[in-house]
Amino acid sequence: MAGMTISKLAKMKANGDKIASITAYDATFSRLFAACGMDFMLVGDSLGNTIQGEQSTLPVTTEDVAYHTRAVRKGAPEAFVVADMPFMSYATPEQAYQEAAKLMRAGANMVKLEGGDWLLETIGGLVERGVPVCAHLGLLPQSVNVLGGYKVQGREQSAAESTVRQALALQQAGAQLLVLECVPIELGKLITQKLSIPTIGIGAGADCDGQILVMHDMLGLNSNYLPKFVKNFLTETGDIASAVELYVKEVKAGTFPGAEHSFE
């Protein structure tokens, strides 16, 4: 994992090499993930659910993400670390610049924002100012109240076409990675083919350039609810390090996610 960069991730896509990633929130796990060959880690605002016990990601602040980014960076000094920008921390371009700076100072290599067309100016401004951006389309957890719950996005033809168009626009604006969450397999495949930047799927099928899971889901720790796109790797292996290694191996081999973890 040492020395992973945006250009190396782009080269992996060009070569057809799958990208394995996972959420991380502390030094102990980031050290383990780096040792197991994880290509990059996301300090996700999912920490609201997994760490803080909140019902959604909305209460998470930039300061929360920065705190966990510092911890992840200390555990894995060489890792490529993406940090989520929390709900309403990038409502305007100017606000996004200020809040992104806090995350970059905390040790992030890149920030992630949820949304499409309305973010184009913000993404362009961040990149111009030296802040790499990962975009995020499909199911947007920060917009769960508008979407009416956690459900698959882009099933209708018009919605699918809109998602493809927005993905291309986000790339054009300067985004260098794109997370696709909870979209049908065919839509994930189409967007991956059309973009020159890597796509990272979570519930978006095996044709994406890479995969990401919330670490607690991958280890089967959220026993009250396991999304369809999740596989519990701990049950097959019996110990955490082996579970992480198996996840990386199956992503690299293209065997995870299978059809049972994907949406038609």
Side-chain angles (χ1 to χ4, degrees):
M1 181 158 178
M4 180 58 72
T5 62
I6 293 167
S7 57
K8 286 180 182 176
L9 290 170
K11 193 171 183 181
M12 289 177 74
K13 175 187 175 90
N15 293 340
D17 298 327
K18 295 289 187 181
I19 299 164
S21 58
I22 197 166
T23 65
Y25 314 98
D26 64 29
T28 304
F29 273 100
S30 68
R31 189 177 300 116
L32 171 67
F33 295 152
C36 291
M38 205 67 69
D39 293 310
F40 76 86
M41 303 176 211
L42 169 69
V43 183
D45 58 3
S46 50
L47 68 89
N49 308 80
T50 58
I51 307 290
Q52 298 174 335
E54 302 287 358
Q55 293 301 305
S56 74
T57 63
L58 303 191
V60 176
T61 66
T62 303
E63 286 66 33
D64 292 336
V65 178
Y67 170 89
H68 289 278
T69 300
R70 280 191 289 272
V72 166
R73 174 55 69 205
K74 285 180 180 175
E78 299 295 319
F80 191 86
V81 177
V82 182
D84 260 339
M85 295 196 67
F87 177 66
M88 291 299 281
S89 68
Y90 49 100
T92 66
E94 290 69 27
Q95 183 189 20
Y97 307 153
Q98 296 299 321
E99 298 299 289
K102 296 176 185 176
L103 299 179
M104 298 296 285
R105 290 190 194 105
N109 299 101
M110 176 181 254
V111 299
K112 181 168 79 66
L113 296 76
E114 294 182 12
D117 292 334
W118 71 276
L119 279 175
L120 299 178
E121 180 189 349
T122 299
I123 289 172
L126 283 167
V127 173
E128 282 177 352
R129 289 158 178 78
V131 180
V133 172
C134 174
H136 184 150
L137 287 174
L139 175 62
L140 307 177
Q142 291 177 13
S143 302
V144 66
N145 292 317
V146 173
L147 296 174
Y150 298 96
K151 49 193 179 186
V152 181
Q153 302 295 308
R155 277 197 159 135
E156 302 78 23
Q157 181 73 19
S158 59
E161 289 172 357
S162 173
T163 306
V164 172
R165 183 187 56 73
Q166 291 189 75
L168 288 164
L170 290 165
Q171 175 179 270
Q172 181 69 28
Q176 289 170 290
L177 274 181
L178 174 66
V179 168
L180 286 171
E181 181 166 359
C182 288
V183 300
I185 295 173
E186 285 304 316
L187 182 55
K189 181 178 182 178
L190 179 62
I191 291 173
T192 300
Q193 290 171 340
K194 283 185 172 290
L195 295 187
S196 59
I197 62 173
T199 60
I200 309 297
I202 176 166
D207 294 302
C208 292
D209 298 305
Q211 302 294 326
I212 190 163
L213 284 177
V214 172
M215 58 167 272
H216 296 72
D217 289 344
M218 194 247 343
L219 297 171
L221 298 177
N222 289 338
S223 54
N224 56 338
Y225 172 65
L226 209 60
K228 174 183 167 73
F229 55 76
V230 171
K231 177 178 173 180
N232 179 348
F233 287 84
L234 191 56
T235 54
E236 286 186 34
T237 56
D239 75 273
I240 290 174
S242 298
V244 175
E245 287 172 352
L246 181 62
Y247 167 65
V248 172
K249 181 181 176 182
E250 290 196 5
V251 170
K252 296 285 186 184
T255 55
F256 177 83
E260 69 272 27
H261 309 112
S262 307
F263 304 99
E264 292 299 333

